[in-house]
Amino acid sequence: MSSTTEAITGGRLMVELLEEAGVEIVFGYPGGAILPFYDELYHSKKIKHILVRHEQGAIHMAEGYARSTGKLGVCIATSGPGATNLITGLTDAKLDSIPILAITGQVSTDAIGTDAFQEADIFGITIPITKYNALIKKADDLSRHFEEAIKIAMGGRPGPVLLDFPKDVQLEKTTVRKASSLKIAPHHYERPKVKGDPQEFAEALNQAKRPLLYVGGGAINSFASAEIKALAEKANAPVTTTLMGLGAFPGTHPLSVGMLGMHGTAYANKAVLECDYILNLGARFDDRVAKYQDFAPNAVRAHVDIDAAEFNKRINVDHILHGDLKDAIREILPFVKGGDRTSWIENIQNLKKNHPLDFDNSGDSIKPQDFLQRVYAKTKGEAIVSTDVGQHQMWAAQYYLFDKPNTWLTSGGLGTMGYGLPAAIGAKFGNPDKTVICVTGDGSIQMCIQELATIAQSQLGVKILLFNNNFLGMVRQWQELFYEERFSESQWTYNPNFVKLADAYGIPAMRIEHKSEIEKGVEFFLKDNGSALIEVMIPAEEKVFPMIPAGKSQQDLIEFKDLGKLKK
Amino acid sequence: MKHTLSILVNNHPGVMSHVSGLFTRRGYNIDSIAVGVTDNADVSSMTIVLNGDDFIVGQVKNQLLKLPDVLRVQDMAYASSVQRELVLISFSITEVNRSEALTICNGFDVKILEMTEDSLLIEFSGNSRQVSNIISVLKPFGIREISRTGQIAIAYRNQNAV
Ligand SMILES: Cc1ncc(C[n+]2csc(CCOP(=O)(O)OP(=O)(O)O)c2C)c(N)n1
């Protein structure tokens, strides 16, 4: 514990701590209970504050920023309603392991517990949805809590933390301050030693004839892409990724079999059925991927994870390595042997050939898959892509191939509609030189549509690709296939004129409806670095395939060509 | 199967909510929970009894260890630990059965805290089975009120001891 000579207020100290940790940008929204902190922020030359239109926007922006940069994302809200507006984002960040610091104003300590104006027990409310949270009772405690919070958010399996900051504590003076070594830079924190036997672990892989690597979001958090590539190439093993793992292994690599799971490729899901060894690298056997204990029924299962609680949680495994993925792979690599996997690779190539991603592109309407492929070609696969939730999300996952980590931003665990637009904004602030595209639907965009103003205000070059089917498309797909076409409350009988709406915010916009307009549309959409919204009218009945029906497993995969089978 | 977890935690406000919230969130039921500070004022000891198979208990342990304020989790095997619970029982007596009640209390190593014409207030400590036992033996007298602390446990240093 070191002391500064001069006593400063809690609010001032919070600003200084953020500055020292290297925080350059925060997303927030002021209010009475956080005003002393905002007053101090006013004087900061190092921290840029982005004023959002809704606190949910602030936290999703922080998430988009964190995911695309690997750094900590910071958001600020006032007490009560401001704080509760962060709930969805905190839950999202918890499920997807995103490092977020939320700072919330709180009523003064003497009013806590009295149902004071704009009081909410945000500490209590957020216990289950944060990795760590604390109510700062004295300015003297701030520095300690801050250090703890950042270390916890960034260290191990990352996650959201929340510091609840009463107004009087923001004004209280303190000289107590830890000598800070905190940094929000990626992978700054010490990682625990890898536990397990890397040699034995590698030997199971060596013995396999049909190995498959199954890569999850942990690979992104651990910056392990290079190691995964080295491992795949050395072992000559095909690689499939989860929705969260897209980009951790190049989607264009010959060993890539794309995404697995509910809407993964048929070849990835079939490879899971056929493999004799499956190596889970930083994934969690999520129920959208591994429905039952018979997941990968013919395979020896191995799992590397930084979170010991993930081992044998849903699916039992035969081999375990506990630790940071990057470190763990480095330890097993020396023991990995090449092996002749020619027939397995050939098998995979055949699966790819016989069960490709597929859609019907005849007719005059625009198919979202086609449009996405063109956007992919035009951006040379180098854009950062965020999505909302629904069919458009799955089409984007399938048809935009991600070669690099931290370029795919989607709400995987929680499936949060409203995530895409603010996440793209956060990503653009973190990566001003990159093309950032938000792929969204007419339902999702309306959940955080007010953040168009944030784009306009900062003159941010965010591109919005809006697929309009005048439906909650994914809901419609389920209703069509599993509820005998009873489209209960999934059709929009009113949608705004999105082009005019964008225009009102000063964002260039265009609508296209016919195939003949596609090229013009793509051209308009990507022509410069400025913001743009393109509304692509697509057929309501277009569906996402392949699909593993809810509650079923890999065996029950339905491909585009099997559509007839479903409608019996 | 019943498991007894002995957990050391930082003695901060909110830690109890974090721990119990973890059980609620994952749908596990706590049979009893007893908390007290240790010789170190910064550290509290919690004893949690829960019902569940080895898989569930393993999950609970792993999830508990993820909480920053949790310092240690020990699954107390019955044979290698002492498990105790304190109970206060107030029950009715009559002139007729008073001496029978007192005989029982003597046999059970019970402390009598208060005796009135028509009631006895007693204190008893033992393992949970013994506590349940005495409750059922006293039930016929007519129990007025019971307060149980929930089980606490500590491991024997000498692991051969029972
Ligand atoms: C906040 C929230 N509410 C409800 C849902 C359930 N949900 C999942 S997909 C979906 C439909 C999405 O429609 P849209 O954004 O238009 O995308 P599309 O499926 O048409 O591409 C809904 C309602 C959700 N994921 N998130």
Side-chain angles (χ1 to χ4, degrees):
Chain A
M1 202 70 64
S2 74
S3 294
T4 52
T5 40
E6 194 194 344
I8 56 173
T9 65
R12 175 81 228 142
L13 179 58
M14 181 70 99
V15 171
E16 289 185 8
L17 289 169
L18 288 166
E19 287 177 349
E20 276 166 26
V23 173
E24 291 166 347
I25 189 165
V26 297
F27 305 91
Y29 205 104
I34 192 77
L35 279 186
F37 169 75
Y38 264 92
D39 194 47
E40 293 295 348
L41 196 59
Y42 186 78
H43 301 292
S44 174
K45 297 203 171 58
K46 294 191 181 141
I47 301 174
K48 180 165 161 176
H49 179 275
I50 306 303
L51 176 61
V52 301
R53 295 301 182 273
H54 186 300
E55 289 87 352
Q56 183 177 359
I59 188 159
H60 291 327
M61 284 178 209
E63 287 186 276
Y65 175 85
R67 285 194 193 206
S68 62
T69 61
K71 298 181 194 166
L72 179 76
V74 182
C75 61
I76 322 282
T78 192
S79 68
T84 55
N85 275 346
L86 299 177
I87 301 297
T88 304
L90 288 169
T91 316
D92 191 87
K94 180 86 183 330
L95 278 182
D96 283 352
S97 309
I98 311 300
I100 296 293
L101 168 64
I103 300 169
T104 49
Q106 181 54 280
V107 300
S108 288
T109 46
D110 57 358
I112 288 178
T114 65
D115 298 330
F117 177 65
Q118 294 197 328
E119 182 190 2
D121 172 18
I122 204 66
F123 173 80
I125 292 172
T126 58
I127 283 176
I129 52 169
T130 51
K131 196 177 165 200
Y132 172 83
N133 68 0
L135 169 64
I136 303 164
K137 291 222 173 110
K138 300 195 295 272
D140 285 356
D141 295 341
L142 169 59
S143 174
R144 172 172 66 80
H145 281 308
F146 186 85
E147 173 158 332
E148 183 103 344
I150 304 261
K151 278 190 184 156
I152 291 171
M154 300 287 292
R157 177 182 185 165
V161 298
L162 181 141
L163 292 176
D164 201 25
F165 200 11
K167 191 170 184 176
D168 57 330
V169 181
Q170 295 169 43
L171 292 164
E172 190 186 351
K173 294 234 169 157
T174 180
T175 55
V176 182
R177 175 188 209 147
K178 282 194 152 186
S180 178
S181 63
L182 287 175
K183 285 285 165 285
I184 56 143
H187 242 215
H188 173 74
Y189 295 95
E190 233 177 81
R191 282 109 66 189
K193 250 184 76 62
V194 176
K195 286 191 225 117
D197 183 350
Q199 184 167 3
E200 181 208 272
F201 203 85
E203 263 150 28
L205 171 59
N206 293 339
Q207 277 161 25
K209 296 206 167 55
R210 301 183 304 280
L212 181 66
L213 308 189
Y214 151 39
V215 174
I220 311 267
N221 286 334
S222 145
F223 304 88
S225 293
E227 285 74 12
I228 290 171
K229 186 153 170 269
L231 176 64
E233 286 173 353
K234 191 165 179 194
N236 215 352
V239 181
T240 179
T241 75
T242 65
L243 181 72
M244 291 296 293
L246 288 176
F249 184 75
T252 53
H253 196 285
L255 285 169
S256 168
V257 285
M259 181 170 82
L260 86 169
M262 181 178 264
H263 292 298
T265 62
Y267 35 95
N269 284 306
K270 287 181 189 295
V272 169
L273 289 175
E274 292 181 21
C275 67
D276 66 355
Y277 174 88
I278 192 156
L279 173 50
N280 174 336
L281 301 170
R284 57 190 179 103
F285 293 109
D286 172 64
D287 58 288
R288 293 264 148 147
V289 166
K291 193 67 207 176
Y292 293 113
Q293 205 46 260
D294 66 358
F295 175 71
N298 305 308
V300 170
R301 302 178 192 138
H303 192 181
V304 186
D305 210 295
I306 195 156
D307 181 356
E310 289 300 330
F311 297 126
N312 297 317
K313 185 174 91 177
R314 293 196 57 254
I315 302 287
N316 290 332
V317 292
D318 306 288
H319 303 282
I320 284 171
L321 269 192
H322 177 206
D324 178 76
L325 193 55
K326 191 185 188 77
D327 299 337
I329 300 179
R330 282 184 182 170
E331 289 191 20
I332 58 177
L333 261 177
F335 303 109
V336 172
K337 297 205 188 81
D340 176 20
R341 308 251 155 74
T342 324
S343 70
W344 173 229
I345 303 287
E346 257 170 36
N347 190 344
I348 296 272
Q349 298 306 345
N350 284 335
L351 286 176
K352 280 191 179 179
K353 207 162 68 209
N354 299 330
H355 302 274
L357 277 174
D358 212 0
F359 62 97
D360 175 8
N361 202 15
S362 61
D364 178 45
S365 61
I366 304 174
K367 291 303 175 80
Q369 302 93 332
D370 181 18
F371 197 87
L372 282 161
Q373 282 177 333
R374 289 164 192 263
V375 170
Y376 174 73
K378 180 93 181 172
T379 54
K380 303 190 186 71
E382 284 178 356
I384 295 177
V385 176
S386 82
T387 75
D388 268 296
V389 176
Q391 294 179 309
H392 63 272
Q393 175 189 30
M394 293 301 139
W395 289 319
Q398 292 174 335
Y399 289 92
Y400 199 98
L401 300 182
F402 295 91
D403 275 343
K404 293 194 198 78
N406 306 94
T407 56
W408 165 247
L409 320 173
T410 202
S411 170
L414 195 63
T416 310
M417 288 170 73
Y419 171 86
L421 182 61
I425 295 172
K428 185 68 181 178
F429 277 116
N431 303 268
D433 301 332
K434 294 218 175 119
T435 303
V436 177
I437 300 172
C438 165
V439 180
T440 185
D442 51 323
S444 291
I445 196 174
Q446 296 188 60
M447 287 221 171
C448 280
I449 200 162
Q450 65 281 53
E451 302 309 331
L452 287 176
T454 311
I455 296 179
Q457 171 178 310
S458 296
Q459 306 209 330
L460 211 58
V462 168
K463 311 278 188 190
I464 301 158
L465 168 50
L466 167 61
F467 286 122
N468 188 349
N469 46 16
N470 282 306
F471 260 96
L472 294 171
M474 189 59 101
V475 173
R476 185 193 191 285
Q477 172 164 346
W478 283 47
Q479 289 172 333
E480 181 181 329
L481 299 176
F482 310 118
Y483 295 87
E484 295 166 339
E485 306 196 358
R486 290 185 296 276
F487 298 122
S488 179
E489 300 301 322
S490 56
Q491 181 167 24
W492 291 115
T493 50
Y494 180 80
N495 253 339
N497 182 327
F498 290 108
V499 171
K500 275 195 183 166
L501 187 71
D503 187 49
Y505 284 108
I507 295 171
M510 177 180 183
R511 175 187 300 119
I512 57 171
E513 288 175 52
H514 304 289
K515 220 181 222 162
S516 56
E517 301 165 295
I518 287 193
E519 247 160 69
K520 194 173 64 179
V522 175
E523 179 66 27
F524 160 82
F525 184 53
L526 296 169
K527 72 168 177 284
D528 53 24
N529 295 323
S531 59
L533 180 148
I534 186 153
E535 181 184 12
V536 181
M537 306 304 294
I538 59 167
E541 48 295 335
E542 190 61 27
K543 279 176 278 300
V544 182
F545 284 110
M547 172 178 202
I548 300 175
K552 298 280 177 60
S553 54
Q554 256 81 19
Q555 277 92 342
D556 309 295
L557 180 103
I558 303 156
E559 292 177 64
F560 172 68
K561 59 184 180 189
D562 306 325
L563 182 56
K565 271 197 238 164
L566 266 179
K567 298 210 169 182
K568 278 181 292 201
Chain B
M1 203 188 127
K2 288 226 191 293
H3 284 258
T4 305
L5 297 180
S6 168
I7 307 164
L8 290 185
V9 297
N10 284 324
N11 184 13
H12 293 321
V15 174
M16 182 77 176
S17 307
H18 274 114
V19 170
S20 58
L22 189 149
F23 283 79
T24 326
R25 191 155 77 249
R26 296 184 189 264
Y28 304 137
N29 192 31
I30 297 179
D31 280 4
S32 87
I33 183 164
V35 192
V37 70
T38 63
D39 59 318
N40 176 349
D42 295 332
V43 176
S44 287
S45 149
M46 289 187 183
T47 308
I48 293 184
V49 181
L50 78 155
N51 218 334
D53 56 22
D54 288 349
F55 169 76
I56 289 183
V57 176
Q59 267 297 305
V60 168
K61 254 164 88 173
N62 282 335
Q63 297 293 349
L64 281 170
L65 284 170
K66 281 167 67 171
L67 297 177
D69 282 314
V70 170
L71 308 172
R72 191 195 72 188
V73 181
Q74 245 183 322
D75 190 358
M76 294 287 186
Y78 199 77
S80 56
S81 65
V82 205
Q83 319 216 349
R84 285 292 178 271
E85 186 174 4
L86 179 73
V87 65
L88 302 174
I89 306 173
S90 150
F91 62 99
S92 309
I93 47 172
T94 61
E95 236 167 280
V96 180
N97 64 20
R98 174 178 294 143
S99 69
E100 186 192 345
L102 290 172
T103 315
I104 292 173
C105 290
N106 280 334
F108 263 102
D109 206 6
V110 160
K111 210 186 224 172
I112 294 171
L113 302 179
E114 183 187 47
M115 183 156 80
T116 69
E117 258 171 30
D118 62 350
S119 77
L120 266 176
L121 172 61
I122 62 148
E123 170 191 322
F124 175 76
S125 83
N127 63 40
S128 294
R129 191 176 46 79
Q130 291 166 323
V131 169
S132 299
N133 227 354
I134 191 158
I135 292 171
S136 63
V137 169
L138 295 179
K139 218 173 203 157
F141 289 90
I143 287 182
R144 295 182 166 187
E145 210 178 329
I146 284 185
S147 180
R148 293 174 78 153
T149 57
Q151 182 171 294
I152 53 170
I154 200 162
Y156 285 113
R157 297 290 297 161
N158 174 359
Q159 288 294 310
N160 296 323
V162 173

